[in-house]
Amino acid sequence: MAEHPHGPEDHRFDADFVQRFHTTFDGSFPDVETTLGPSSYALLAAEAEALAQNGAAPVVLDLGCGSGRLSEVLLQRGLPPQNLIGVDFVAEQIERTRQRLNPAPVRLFLAQSQDLPLEDGSIDCVLNHMGLAVMIPVDATLKEVGRVLRTGGRMAVVVDGPPKEGSIDKIYIQILREAVAAEQPQLLKGLASDHDISDPAVLAHLVHVQTGMIPHRAPQSFELLMRMSVSEYLTFLEGEYLMRRLREVGRQKVRHAVQRLFESHGEDQVVIPLAMQLMVFVKPPA
Ligand SMILES: C[S@@+](CC[C@H](N)C(=O)[O-])C[C@H]1O[C@@H](n2cnc3c(N)ncnc32)[C@H](O)[C@@H]1O
């Protein structure tokens, strides 16, 4: 299993960066259709709904709730607000969620994923949309998830997947990496997760070691079908951790290269498939 490339103090450095970043950027994803049909938020919401028993709604934790998009989808689909808990370690994000969900009486906590203010076994379903990779150390986050989940409870996560060859997203990553290599090569080490959880086998192993949980079913790869103009895509990219860590001169290079890429497509709007995967785990009896 890969060690964090730098050491524990870099965990703090990375966490500080993520916290500062989300003070300005909400970091949510477009709520658009995927190659599986529903949006990635709706896919997670369906996993929670599957845990309703005899008409009783599950208690759901939106871990790393960001600006509250997933929580909003859960409420829109009928989850009672008193059954929903949101956690994020950035005060501005909690405030954005509060405003989005207002006046629903949802419990929101400003807390670290590695130290949740929740009772053992108090949660039926933990949902995490595009946050687990930066909840470093990920091991400690998973251990907490295992503690707060009840036996038979589930954790469903949407994480990055490997981008498709030839897609704008894949070409963008190359553009970004080239700019980083030329301008600030030290950044190439990351914002590194301490484990490559985009590899389903790595995540499944980690989850099992930390929580005893097992996959509920096979991982599902899918793409988020973003249809965007160049200016919309550039705005979206500003909310990307590595892009944000580049100095302005590097960011300008990326922007220009992305503009050229769009021009080569010759259309105002282009579909940009963003690779993701959905994994669901269940906590078996001890
Ligand atoms: C990429 S954003 C995704 C937000 C939201 N889940 C969504 O998809 O719309 C990741 C979120 O996780 C939060 N986060 C990252 N590390 C965390 C930690 N250790 N504890 C709690 N929240 C954390 C960030 O503040 C941020 O709001």
Side-chain angles (χ1 to χ4, degrees), residues 204-221:
H205 177 77
L206 215 59
V207 168
H208 190 66
V209 169
Q210 293 301 328
T211 70
M213 293 171 82
I214 52 173
H216 174 59
R217 57 167 191 268
Q220 281 173 283
S221 297

Side-chain angles (χ1 to χ4, degrees), residues 106-137:
V106 170
R107 281 169 287 167
L108 297 175
F109 293 102
L110 180 63
Q112 299 266 353
S113 56
Q114 298 88 354
D115 187 14
L116 297 172
L118 302 168
E119 299 286 320
D120 294 5
S122 57
I123 305 290
D124 297 306
C125 185
V126 174
L127 301 179
N128 186 294
H129 188 272
M130 295 300 281
L132 190 58
V134 291
M135 293 183 170
I136 43 183

Side-chain angles (χ1 to χ4, degrees), residues 70-209:
L70 173 61
S71 288
E72 183 179 45
V73 170
L74 285 158
L75 295 184
Q76 282 166 350
R77 293 170 63 123
L79 185 72
Q82 60 275 16
N83 281 41
L84 178 57
I85 298 165
V87 165
D88 204 285
F89 76 163
V90 174
E92 284 75 6
Q93 292 286 67
I94 291 290
E95 192 45 39
R96 287 174 191 128
T97 298
R98 197 180 302 284
Q99 283 177 12
R100 191 191 288 276
L101 306 184
N102 187 39
V106 170
R107 281 169 287 167
L108 297 175
F109 293 102
L110 180 63
Q112 299 266 353
S113 56
Q114 298 88 354
D115 187 14
L116 297 172
L118 302 168
E119 299 286 320
D120 294 5
S122 57
I123 305 290
D124 297 306
C125 185
V126 174
L127 301 179
N128 186 294
H129 188 272
M130 295 300 281
L132 190 58
V134 291
M135 293 183 170
I136 43 183
V138 174
D139 311 54
T141 295
L142 291 173
K143 205 175 175 72
E144 268 300 80
V145 168
R147 179 184 70 75
V148 302
L149 269 179
R150 67 156 168 89
T151 300
R154 290 185 203 164
M155 172 179 76
V157 298
V158 165
V159 294
D160 269 328
K164 218 183 191 168
E165 279 310 317
S167 65
I168 285 193
D169 198 36
K170 173 98 183 184
I171 301 171
Y172 161 71
I173 290 167
Q174 280 160 6
I175 292 172
L176 181 65
R177 292 201 150 251
E178 280 163 23
V180 170
E183 298 296 326
Q184 285 158 262
Q186 76 283 7
L187 291 187
L188 278 180
K189 287 190 202 141
L191 180 75
S193 183
D194 42 356
H195 299 276
D196 178 14
I197 63 164
S198 67
D199 179 340
V202 170
L203 182 55
H205 177 77
L206 215 59
V207 168
H208 190 66
V209 169

